[in-house]
Amino acid sequence: MAHEPAPSLYAAQEPVFPRKVKGFYRTFKWWIMAVTLGIYYLTPWIRWDRGPNLPDQAVLVDMANRRFYFFWIEIWSHEFYFVAGLLIMAGLGLFLFTSALGRVWCGYTCPQTVWTDLFILVERWIEGDRNARVRLWKGKWTARKWRLRITKWTIWLVIAMATGGAWVFYFADAPTLLRDLVTLSAHPAANITILILTLTTFIFGGFMREQVCIYMCPWPRIQAAMMDPDTITVAYREWRGEPRGKKRDGTAGDCIDCMACVNVCPVGIDIRDGQQMECITCALCIDACDDVMARIGKPRGLIDYLALSDEEAERAGAQPRPLWQHVLRLRTIIYTAMWAAIGLGLVYALFIRSDIELTVSPVRNPTFVLQSDGSIRNIYDVRLRNKLGDDRQFHLSLISDDILRIELEGLGRELAIDVPANETILQRVYVTARPQDPAASRNSTPLRLWVEDLGSGDKASWDTIFNGRESQ
Amino acid sequence: MADRKVDEETGVDTTGHSWDGIQELNNPLPRWWLWTFYLTIIWGIGYTIAYPAWPMVSGATAGVLGWSARGTVANDIAEHDGQNANLVTALLQADMTTLPENADLNRYAVARGGAVFRAQCSQCHGSGAAGATGYPNLLDDDWLWGGEMEQIIYSVTHGIRNEVDPDAHWSQMPAFGDIFTKEETAATVEYLVSLSSSEFDATLAEEGATLFLDNCAACHGDNAMGDRAVGAPNLADAIWLYGGDREALTYSVENARFGVMPAWGQRLSEEDVRAVSAYVHALGGGE
């Protein structure tokens, strides 16, 4: 037995040179790339009129003022649960799609996949298809190689910079920020963000590629737990393809071992080895194999979207179960129900939202104040929020079963407060019970504070407690 | 180098390590990951040179960038002060009696005053300004020296009965323990109780009323309503600084209790005095 040295504990990256491929899934992926990148690059430039006091950018994360604008929806920082709800929906949606259709997120819409696809497109355009690229990679660093490499890297850098550049436009007024960026007067945070995102896009899309998916991303591990034998995924019909080879004695399977599926794979695996952690289910091997099958006059679908349970059924000569039976099963129904429940809850919460709000913090240090005439006063810090685009006058009032008197700091018995557009103001409110009133001596008396915008008629209320002498 | 060994079960290379027949498989880490690890070490070393890090005998290395957390705070404060410079100027020039009409400036003054109050005043008056026995409650409508803005500013600036500011409010009640007999004290106390309570000995209180008129009314007023000019408390209202039961009143009459407050004008900046006065005025009792 020959003595082979033990392999290193560290493995070098195996370069992958995906070959060009044409077909249904490739075309579908081009469309998805165009739409997702289009949304990403163009969204910040959509304008949306919100009146004179608010930004006119349709989608804007306004960190400085703690607002999130999404077309007609405006999320304040205290309403962040909407964003949390959307994130939960995104998570559940990912579970749903993964359990039904495998890693479609990875294969079609993940930014890493989309940008890598774009970078490979540029690479192929500059350096040629797979064989030319392999030759170039193996060849010496001639002037031509330098020229091609530098051209490619330059275009990558431009795309990367546009990527980082588009990101910052979501956080500030896009036209203003673009002007500042061009005149080099933009805030350092914008420049640093662009620099970081340019570098990560350049490195991840140009050089790391499948390494990001295999070693850096947690999703492959998590998504594997979402899949089961009913999940529709990219698989090889082993019963049909094996034994592979070019034998013509009638015993050979359909697979002619042309390696087309391996050559087009962006992560450099062989789908015929079965389900693998590295596979992002981009479906390009399906296109490649279908092309070959058509040329040798065999039916398409040697490599295809299929459920692993069907592969076994077909092997045994049985009919595969219909698609809807794979997709509609308890697991996917539960995911869909949870997803929809949260979605409906968010929509409901969005519709019952008032344009004016109040929150009341009773001052409990001390619990009450004894006035010189023996009456008992409670103090409340009331925050009044005007979410409308113009200044409003709010009217405060109090409802209780007992006699209580409301006054405002600085305004006395005048209960109208001016609240500027898009602002929250703090108003100190005094509620007083005369010595002879029951509320003055009782432990606690419930009361409700109302705020009304006299202009629009919008109302909001808050229930709280009045502490009497016995509360001490 | 050791020979290559392959685990028969999995077909994966082993490291050659074996414990009780359990072999360690070798699924190699990507080499770039190793480089990243080395890079973080180099970064870490650079970081400890650039920033304060290595503990020495006294203190730690300062770092070549000269950064410090304290310096950052100082910069933030300076920046903040710069942003508020206009408000401070406006506060210093403002007519304090009409301050609440200027909503923005008032908000700034009250917020700033709240910070000053919690740092300087809360030790005696309490963090909620509710006071304690002997330390006036600033939330109510009862004032010893007046609750108008200018009066509050005066009290804050010069303080009460301190030795350092000649303009400090000053008044002192005699200790009637040396002047009254026990019976006279008891009668006076009964009269004081009668002013704000319905349960009292009418005969005794009537006797006390005479004693009060002769001895106390000069400062506390004929109706015991007090006199803010001399800081004499209103004895006819519901509020007692040292307690309103007979025992506490007897002690007060016999020993004459009073408090002391520093002259904050000597310790705080003018804008802080104005701000804390605005804050106290806006607590609920401001007049």
Side-chain angles (χ1 to χ4, degrees):
Chain A
M1 185 182 138
H3 285 276
E4 267 186 281
S8 165
L9 292 172
Y10 306 101
Q13 180 183 1
E14 292 287 332
V16 181
F17 304 95
R19 187 169 64 75
K20 188 177 173 186
V21 62
K22 275 183 184 163
F24 172 77
Y25 293 105
R26 180 65 268 182
T27 310
F28 186 45
K29 277 166 71 78
W30 287 136
W31 277 107
I32 289 184
M33 183 198 282
V35 171
T36 50
L37 289 181
I39 291 173
Y40 175 70
Y41 287 116
L42 297 180
T43 303
W45 298 93
I46 304 171
R47 301 290 103 183
W48 193 268
D49 184 24
R50 293 190 185 83
N53 298 314
L54 289 175
D56 65 347
Q57 186 158 320
V59 178
L60 177 66
V61 182
D62 188 350
M63 293 282 193
N65 297 309
R66 296 176 186 80
R67 298 292 157 74
F68 171 50
Y69 301 96
F70 185 83
F71 294 93
W72 63 95
I73 301 170
E74 187 183 327
I75 305 278
W76 289 46
S77 54
H78 70 289
E79 294 168 325
F80 197 74
Y81 50 82
F82 281 109
V83 180
L86 283 176
L87 289 175
I88 294 172
M89 283 179 74
L92 285 172
L94 203 54
F95 294 174
L96 170 65
F97 272 91
T98 307
S99 66
L101 299 171
R103 290 171 59 182
V104 280
W105 164 260
C106 297
Y108 293 87
T109 44
C110 174
Q112 175 65 23
T113 298
V114 172
W115 264 281
T116 300
D117 232 12
L118 183 62
F119 275 38
I120 291 175
L121 179 70
V122 171
E123 188 170 80
R124 189 178 296 133
W125 182 47
I126 304 289
E127 296 179 347
D129 205 358
R130 174 179 159 86
N131 293 341
R133 298 212 302 279
V134 173
R135 269 199 307 279
L136 190 69
W137 180 69
K138 285 183 177 157
K140 289 204 166 61
W141 281 89
T142 59
R144 177 176 172 273
K145 183 168 177 173
W146 275 113
R147 181 173 54 79
L148 292 178
R149 280 284 195 266
I150 289 172
T151 314
K152 178 178 79 174
W153 291 338
T154 309
I155 298 176
W156 281 358
L157 262 180
V158 170
I159 297 172
M161 205 181 265
T163 306
W167 179 260
V168 296
F169 291 144
Y170 283 87
F171 296 86
D173 183 57
T176 314
L177 181 56
L178 180 63
R179 199 181 56 227
D180 289 351
L181 286 169
V182 171
T183 58
L184 301 178
S185 58
H187 192 276
N191 289 317
I192 291 169
T193 307
I194 293 177
L195 180 70
I196 290 174
L197 287 176
T198 303
L199 285 177
T200 51
T201 310
F202 183 67
I203 293 170
F204 289 179
F207 303 95
M208 302 283 287
R209 294 187 180 171
E210 79 288 348
Q211 300 286 309
V212 173
C213 307
I214 299 171
Y215 296 108
M216 291 167 70
C217 181
W219 278 122
R221 275 80 174 170
I222 298 169
Q223 294 192 89
M226 301 293 146
M227 295 171 70
D228 55 35
D230 270 319
T231 304
I232 308 289
T233 188
V234 176
Y236 169 61
R237 286 195 163 93
E238 200 181 324
W239 61 270
R240 196 185 129 187
E242 301 297 320
R244 67 185 77 156
K246 295 189 172 64
K247 275 188 266 179
R248 305 213 177 237
D249 56 4
T251 59
D254 283 355
C255 176
I256 56 167
D257 210 10
C258 66
M259 303 299 276
C261 56
V262 178
N263 290 342
V264 299
C265 181
V267 293
I269 58 164
D270 187 341
I271 190 68
R272 297 171 300 175
D273 294 344
Q275 294 299 296
Q276 287 151 81
M277 201 274 294
E278 290 85 350
C279 178
I280 58 170
T281 72
C282 67
L284 293 183
C285 49
I286 301 180
D287 281 344
C289 191
D290 282 353
D291 189 39
V292 172
M293 288 297 115
R295 268 189 270 162
I296 63 170
K298 293 273 169 64
R300 71 160 294 279
L302 179 57
I303 300 170
D304 204 357
Y305 268 109
L306 77 158
L308 295 182
S309 58
D310 279 351
E311 209 270 345
E312 280 172 28
E314 288 172 4
R315 185 198 304 269
Q319 279 296 311
R321 290 163 68 205
L323 180 69
W324 67 268
Q325 282 190 9
H326 289 301
V327 173
L328 270 187
R329 51 190 211 273
L330 187 61
R331 181 176 198 160
T332 53
I333 292 169
I334 290 175
Y335 285 143
T336 311
M338 288 164 71
W339 186 85
I342 294 176
L344 288 173
L346 288 181
V347 170
Y348 176 71
L350 199 62
F351 274 107
I352 61 160
R353 249 176 9 150
S354 172
D355 286 333
I356 69 173
E357 282 179 7
L358 86 162
T359 49
V360 177
S361 323
V363 172
R364 291 299 181 236
N365 173 22
T367 49
F368 65 84
V369 179
L370 173 68
Q371 296 288 75
S372 56
D373 65 354
S375 59
I376 298 296
R377 169 180 276 188
N378 277 210
I379 305 170
Y380 303 86
D381 281 336
V382 176
R383 279 173 180 79
L384 298 163
R385 188 171 288 128
N386 176 10
K387 292 156 90 175
L388 297 156
D390 47 1
D391 300 352
R392 293 296 169 116
Q393 192 171 56
F394 285 5
H395 190 85
L396 257 184
S397 56
L398 176 150
I399 292 181
S400 170
D401 291 339
D402 285 284
I403 303 165
L404 290 171
R405 182 185 166 88
I406 180 171
E407 287 168 277
L408 307 183
E409 168 58 35
L411 297 165
R413 289 289 291 162
E414 191 197 322
L415 300 177
I417 307 146
D418 294 319
V419 185
N422 293 294
E423 270 196 37
T424 305
I425 66 157
L426 175 64
Q427 175 66 48
R428 208 168 154 87
V429 173
Y430 307 117
V431 175
T432 311
R434 293 169 303 174
Q436 67 272 26
D437 295 333
S441 48
R442 194 183 293 146
N443 181 0
S444 72
T445 304
L447 67 98
R448 176 172 294 175
L449 285 171
W450 277 98
V451 63
E452 182 178 3
D453 170 21
L454 293 177
S456 66
D458 282 343
K459 278 183 193 171
S461 71
W462 189 281
D463 289 337
T464 182
I465 291 289
F466 181 89
N467 291 314
R469 278 191 296 271
E470 277 178 21
S471 66
Q472 208 166 39
Chain B
M1 219 176 200
D3 285 349
R4 178 176 180 185
K5 292 195 185 77
V6 177
D7 176 55
E8 286 176 10
E9 288 288 326
T10 56
V12 174
D13 288 314
T14 76
T15 59
H17 301 156
S18 170
W19 294 272
D20 293 344
I22 300 170
Q23 302 200 71
E24 185 184 24
L25 300 186
N26 177 20
N27 289 297
L29 203 64
R31 196 176 296 283
W32 61 261
W33 197 289
L34 186 69
W35 295 337
T36 329
F37 176 58
Y38 291 148
L39 207 65
T40 59
I41 294 175
I42 294 167
W43 173 272
I45 293 170
Y47 194 87
T48 61
I49 295 169
Y51 287 94
W54 296 101
M56 308 300 273
V57 177
S58 58
T61 53
V64 293
L65 292 185
W67 181 92
S68 79
R70 232 170 241 281
T72 314
V73 174
N75 285 342
D76 286 352
I77 292 175
E79 190 186 343
H80 199 256
D81 284 348
Q83 285 168 356
N84 286 333
N86 288 339
L87 285 164
V88 171
T89 313
L91 182 60
L92 286 172
Q93 290 165 353
D95 173 7
M96 289 301 284
T97 52
T98 57
L99 179 72
E101 289 164 23
N102 184 344
D104 285 340
L105 187 59
N106 189 47
R107 206 172 300 149
Y108 171 73
V110 170
R112 182 181 181 128
V116 174
F117 186 91
R118 283 184 287 278
Q120 311 288 351
C121 316
S122 61
Q123 288 85 344
C124 292
H125 290 286
S127 58
T133 302
Y135 301 100
N137 183 336
L138 304 175
L139 301 167
D140 60 28
D141 56 351
D142 185 42
W143 296 92
L144 292 172
W145 300 95
E148 288 172 23
M149 186 73 89
E150 293 299 337
Q151 293 171 322
I152 295 173
I153 292 175
Y154 189 95
S155 297
V156 171
T157 307
H158 301 291
I160 319 285
R161 299 185 193 89
N162 60 60
E163 307 279 348
V164 296
D165 190 329
D167 293 326
H169 282 310
W170 199 280
S171 68
Q172 198 157 348
M173 174 174 145
F176 281 89
D178 302 333
I179 303 166
F180 280 175
T181 63
K182 289 278 179 207
E183 291 72 26
E184 285 172 327
T185 302
T188 313
V189 165
E190 201 62 19
Y191 168 70
L192 295 177
V193 169
S194 77
L195 294 173
S196 51
S197 168
S198 53
E199 291 168 22
F200 56 92
D201 181 336
T203 332
L204 198 57
E206 203 170 321
E207 189 186 325
T210 319
L211 283 162
F212 184 88
L213 273 180
D214 292 346
N215 296 285
C216 316
C219 292
H220 290 284
D222 289 352
N223 301 320
M225 302 278 272
D227 183 355
R228 288 179 178 181
V230 291
N234 183 340
L235 303 174
D237 63 13
I239 293 169
W240 297 99
L241 186 54
Y242 291 94
D245 58 44
R246 289 182 179 78
E247 193 186 344
L249 286 171
T250 305
Y251 190 93
S252 292
V253 169
E254 287 182 342
N255 300 290
R257 299 197 264 202
F258 50 84
V260 175
M261 175 168 139
W264 290 104
Q266 300 179 1
R267 303 190 189 186
L268 298 177
S269 63
E270 171 68 14
E271 58 267 28
D272 277 343
V273 168
R274 283 173 170 241
V276 80
S277 303
Y279 172 77
V280 170
H281 189 267
L283 283 173
E287 293 171 346

